[in-house]
Amino acid sequence: MIVATDIARSYDLGGVTVSALRGVSLTVGEGDYVAIVGTSGSGKSTLMHLLGALDRPTSGTLLIDGRDVSTLGPADMARLRNETIGFVFQSFHLLPRTTARDNVALPLVYRGTGRRERRERAAAMLERVGLAHRVDHRPNQMSGGEQQRVAIARALITSPSVLLADEPTGNLDSTTGQQVLTLLESLNAEGVAVVLVTHDRDVAARARRQIVMKDGLIV
Ligand code: ADP
Ligand code: MG
């Protein structure tokens, strides 16, 4: 599903080059469950952004769903994300003044799905993540765990084959973190490939495969 071969990403900061990722090869298959661990600054988020087609490598080859991202323009990248990838951020990234339902429905707007179907599917997805009673709440009326579940519902609304989650439990207390993790694992059991970044050894140990990063490389 995702095949990365020797991908690197450097950032040019006014003449100084920061090598965030220095040549990483990795395959994510159907139904995979991969945990990425490593110290802060080791390149985990940079890698996740690449795997999620939010960014492109400066060198190396990255195939997502059989498509070489280096050949895709911004519109094709957006379409690839919308069709294939669900992305969950540590800090949720929800629209603050928008209801849970409309946050979750947003990816369907880009697909041209009609309003009625959007509303129905978003409500069904919120029910799936245990938030049937929060459909009309805005993010600032919800707990962190609830907001993260809204973000997961938004990532799932397009039925992605890969769910990428960058420290999805990082801003949650341990009980709420467990609930979010259980949810990700039930999705994985249904066949969605899950790649998550975590600082928590116990969380990582639950994955089928662990990848340890250091200084922009997989160790
Ligand atoms: P992690 O998620 O493991 O903490 P990151 O991928 O966020 O690591 O960062 C890896 C390295 O790349 C760090 O040195 C970081 O400062 C640098 N970096 C990340 N994003 C940018 C950016 N947009 N511009 C410049 N440097 C960046
Ligand atoms: Mg990070």
Side-chain angles (χ1 to χ4, degrees):
M1 203 163 289
I2 301 177
V3 183
T5 309
D6 202 24
I7 55 170
R9 175 68 164 100
S10 52
Y11 298 101
D12 189 5
L13 298 179
V16 182
T17 302
V18 178
S19 297
L21 212 61
R22 300 188 294 133
V24 162
S25 299
L26 168 70
T27 300
V28 180
E30 246 172 70
D32 230 331
Y33 183 11
V34 183
I36 300 177
V37 299
T39 51
S40 181
S42 59
K44 304 181 298 295
S45 293
T46 301
L47 176 61
M48 291 292 272
H49 288 143
L50 293 172
L51 299 181
L54 290 162
D55 185 20
R56 278 192 289 209
T58 32
S59 66
T61 310
L62 177 61
L63 302 180
I64 300 177
D65 206 20
R67 309 190 68 187
D68 184 339
V69 300
S70 70
T71 67
L72 304 178
D76 289 326
M77 291 276 279
R79 192 171 312 118
L80 179 63
R81 283 197 300 276
N82 193 271
E83 286 171 356
T84 314
I85 308 278
F87 207 103
V88 178
F89 300 89
Q90 177 174 357
S91 50
F92 323 136
H93 283 214
L94 299 171
L95 299 174
R97 280 177 289 279
T98 302
T99 63
R101 185 205 297 262
D102 287 344
N103 266 287
V104 172
L106 193 60
L108 296 178
V109 173
Y110 302 122
R111 281 193 174 188
T113 307
R115 179 178 150 85
R116 173 193 279 257
E117 188 187 335
R118 288 201 306 265
R119 288 178 61 80
E120 286 173 3
R121 283 176 59 184
M125 194 53 76
L126 282 164
E127 190 177 345
R128 172 74 178 79
V129 301
L131 291 177
H133 58 307
R134 293 285 183 269
V135 166
D136 293 316
H137 283 60
R138 290 188 297 276
N140 65 7
Q141 300 168 318
M142 288 185 275
S143 70
E146 288 172 335
Q147 291 181 59
Q148 192 58 301
R149 282 183 285 154
V150 173
I152 291 171
R154 180 185 54 189
L156 291 174
I157 193 79
T158 54
S159 306
S161 37
V162 188
L163 189 68
L164 301 166
D166 194 349
E167 306 204 35
T169 61
N171 280 327
L172 306 177
D173 65 73
S174 62
T175 308
T176 312
Q178 285 298 322
Q179 287 167 0
V180 165
L181 206 57
T182 303
L183 173 62
L184 294 178
E185 288 175 354
S186 69
L187 297 163
N188 179 243
E190 290 166 21
V192 180
V194 172
V195 181
L196 63 82
V197 170
T198 181
H199 270 113
D200 187 328
R201 287 269 155 201
D202 295 333
V203 171
R206 288 164 66 153
R208 206 162 300 138
R209 208 143 54 93
Q210 285 186 54
I211 285 170
V212 182
M213 296 204 55
K214 192 181 177 203
D215 296 337
L217 293 170
I218 291 177
V219 294

